[in-house]
Amino acid sequence: MAEKVLVTGGAGYIGSHCVLEMLEAGYHPVVIDNFHNAVRGTHGLPESLQRVQDIVGKEIEFEELDMLNKEGLNSLFEKHKFSAVLHLAGLKAVGESVQKPLLYYKVNLTGTIQLLEVMNDHGVKKMVFSSSATVYGDPKYLPIDENHPVGGCTNPYGKTKYFIEEMLTDQCKADGEWNAILLRYFNPIGAHISGRIGEDPQGIPNNLMPYVSQVAVGRREYLNVFGNDYSTPDGTGVRDYIHIVDLAKGHIRALKTLDSISGCKVYNLGTGVGYSVLQMVKAMEKASGKEVPYKIVARREGDIATCYADPALAATELEWKAEYDLNRMCMLGEHYS
């Protein structure tokens, strides 16, 4: 029998790629999503998961469910015997979180508390959590390793990730049967090699690469570059961009490691290399063969200058390492668009 794992928020960009890798690794994912950032497809499935089914040739169990619906979560856990939970669901836009902090605290924190309570009630005490490098705040040193101080977050989105990390850490200390792996993502980009799934957000993109892709294919007139006066080589923000397939494979390694750990473990998922916004624009121009017009605008509240990972711990303990380089990331991102 394949191990049955609940995937929350599994119809989104990261979720759909994780579900695909889980199916290929022999897991049985059961996906819930509330369609906040997913398109409805056929047979009650999100379009992204319909495409994953087509790629892998396996059916996906899916239920439309909001994390704030505790009764629905209870019914789900009564119906299925889960071995673990891959928790991806949540609101994720830095700028929006600054404008709507209460919404982010309600959805991300209340939803997660309810999920943890239901897990506890049903004896499911293993979780891989989708965290973020935003928990590090403005870096004290670079590259950032897992021992870097956390909690000095520059936006409410980052604070919700930090608070959830703290909840899981405390729960693992309180109950020795609990095991959790916190994966601190850096900046996921790109698309599956099939070109069938990738990042195509509803409305105005919050992340750099889908915005650049939409400008490259003519869906948007130009890219807004938020600030060119940072203390970086070209004045624009520097980030560690990781290919989405590398990131998804990191989740498989985390799921496989859950049984062999004790308590709560933290891992960075990044490449260890930082690229500026303008370097990313040039890389996408090279990959697409098209010019990407841009305008310099004011800094975005909550952003920092430079952030890139030290991914050595994941290489040693999860036996995971990012394989895709920048050119390949941009080529696959453009292929999807």
Side-chain angles (χ1 to χ4, degrees):
M1 284 287 289
E3 198 175 328
K4 193 177 276 192
V5 176
L6 172 63
V7 184
T8 71
Y13 173 48
I14 293 169
S16 57
H17 286 82
C18 286
V19 169
L20 190 155
E21 294 297 331
M22 289 171 72
L23 288 166
E24 293 195 327
Y27 288 94
H28 180 161
V30 176
V31 181
I32 62 171
D33 201 287
N34 67 354
F35 287 95
H36 178 77
N37 198 28
V39 176
R40 292 181 187 276
T42 55
H43 311 297
L45 275 179
E47 177 66 24
S48 58
L49 297 185
Q50 184 68 58
R51 294 185 183 195
V52 170
Q53 281 191 167
D54 294 344
I55 295 165
V56 181
K58 296 178 182 177
E59 287 194 9
I60 296 168
E61 281 196 69
F62 172 79
E63 188 167 322
E64 182 175 354
L65 184 62
D66 193 292
M67 295 289 299
L68 296 175
N69 180 354
K70 192 171 185 181
E71 188 178 323
L73 287 173
N74 260 315
S75 298
L76 187 77
F77 275 76
E78 285 166 7
K79 195 189 309 181
H80 299 282
K81 188 170 178 58
F82 297 118
S83 63
V85 174
L86 175 53
H87 182 29
L88 305 164
L91 299 176
K92 61 171 190 169
V94 169
E96 184 184 53
S97 79
V98 173
Q99 295 161 358
K100 302 177 180 177
L102 293 181
L103 176 65
Y104 272 67
Y105 291 130
K106 179 181 179 181
V107 171
N108 293 4
L109 298 186
T110 306
T112 301
I113 288 168
Q114 293 190 161
L115 174 63
L116 294 175
E117 287 174 342
V118 172
M119 288 174 66
N120 212 42
D121 290 345
H122 290 84
V124 180
K125 300 184 177 183
K126 291 194 293 184
M127 175 179 277
V128 174
F129 173 57
S130 158
S131 192
S132 166
T134 56
V135 301
Y136 294 120
D138 209 341
K140 306 290 187 291
Y141 59 83
L142 293 166
I144 300 170
D145 60 23
E146 290 82 354
N147 293 319
H148 186 286
V150 292
C153 308
T154 58
N155 56 74
Y157 161 70
K159 288 176 186 174
T160 66
K161 292 294 188 184
Y162 169 65
F163 293 153
I164 294 168
E165 285 196 3
E166 290 290 284
M167 280 191 251
L168 281 164
T169 301
D170 289 341
Q171 184 60 24
C172 288
K173 284 178 183 173
D175 184 343
E177 293 182 355
W178 270 83
N179 285 354
I181 290 179
L182 317 178
L183 298 178
R184 292 175 181 160
Y185 307 168
F186 279 67
N187 292 69
I189 64 169
H192 187 261
I193 196 166
S194 67
R196 298 295 314 284
I197 57 171
E199 188 169 23
D200 193 16
Q202 307 305 295
I204 299 172
N206 290 300
N207 297 329
L208 174 66
M209 290 313 283
Y211 209 123
V212 171
S213 297
Q214 290 185 11
V215 174
V217 299
R219 278 170 62 181
R220 297 194 181 274
E221 190 178 350
Y222 58 85
L223 168 73
N224 283 323
V225 176
F226 296 103
N228 66 343
D229 57 350
Y230 286 106
S231 174
T232 62
D234 61 21
T236 63
V238 170
R239 297 290 182 271
D240 186 334
Y241 295 93
I242 174 175
H243 193 273
I244 186 63
V245 172
D246 280 331
L247 185 76
K249 287 180 176 176
H251 291 75
I252 303 304
R253 291 304 312 155
L255 285 169
K256 289 182 182 298
T257 306
L258 264 177
D259 283 331
S260 62
I261 66 165
S262 177
C264 196
K265 299 284 287 184
V266 181
Y267 299 100
N268 287 336
L269 294 186
T271 65
V273 180
Y275 294 101
S276 75
V277 172
L278 293 185
Q279 284 177 309
M280 297 304 288
V281 168
K282 286 172 186 169
M284 184 56 90
E285 287 180 333
K286 181 180 175 184
S288 66
K290 296 168 185 172
E291 185 184 359
V292 177
Y294 64 86
K295 289 185 179 179
I296 305 296
V297 297
R299 290 187 184 191
R300 188 170 52 180
E301 191 176 354
D303 277 349
I304 58 175
T306 304
C307 183
Y308 58 93
D310 178 348
L313 191 65
T316 303
E317 297 188 5
L318 293 183
E319 298 178 0
W320 171 89
K321 189 176 181 182
E323 296 177 0
Y324 287 74
D325 64 18
L326 178 60
N327 290 332
R328 208 167 161 202
M329 291 186 215
C330 291
M331 286 171 65
L332 290 178
E334 166 60 15
H335 178 42
Y336 175 75
S337 300

